[in-house]
């Protein structure tokens, strides 16, 4: 059974930084894309940042220049470093990963349980 376990959320003040981590565990061949989405109250889930197996990255415009996504394939872990946090960044942050499950191309998307990030003004 595949699991994505997030850590690093919490309460911070405006302007502070935070690093989220997400580790994938279970049986799979390799990890393709890994990333982070977030959902604020009353809003749809939106992409925050994503990194593919070739380390290409994509960021939400609202976080460009304030966030850095990275991955450690040896640890099956993705990280999200966010700087200069604003109250508008308050949301539940969800880890995402697309995992290859078999040598014949079977893959699935997986989600973490979510971690709350609250930025106080």
């Amino acid at each position: 059974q595949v699991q994505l376990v997030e850590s690093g959320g919490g309460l911070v003040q405006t302007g502070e930084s935070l690093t989220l981590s997400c580790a994938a565990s279970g049986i799979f061949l390799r990890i393709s894309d890994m990333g982070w989405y977030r959902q604020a109250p009353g809003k749809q889930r939106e992409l925050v940042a994503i990194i593919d197996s070739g380390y290409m990255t994509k960021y939400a415009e609202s976080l460009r220049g304030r966030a850095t996504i990275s991955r450690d394939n040896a640890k099956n872990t993705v990280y999200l470093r966010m700087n200069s946090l604003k109250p508008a960044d308050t949301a539940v942050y969800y880890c995402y990963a697309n995992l290859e499950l078999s040598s014949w191309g079977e893959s699935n998307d997986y989600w973490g349980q979510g971690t709350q990030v609250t930025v106080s003004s």
Side-chain angles (χ1 to χ4, degrees), residues 4 24 28-34 52-53 71 73 75-77 96-100:
L4 300 181
F28 51 88
L29 285 186
R30 73 183 192 104
I31 303 174
S32 298
D33 296 348
M34 295 190 85
D52 68 16
S53 57
R71 61 191 284 172
N73 289 334
K75 296 180 179 179
N76 294 327
T77 299
Y96 159 83
N98 179 264
L99 306 181
E100 293 186 19

Side-chain angles (χ1 to χ4, degrees), residues 64-79:
R64 192 176 300 278
R66 298 192 295 122
T68 302
I69 189 169
S70 59
R71 61 191 284 172
D72 183 336
N73 289 334
K75 296 180 179 179
N76 294 327
T77 299
V78 63
Y79 305 94

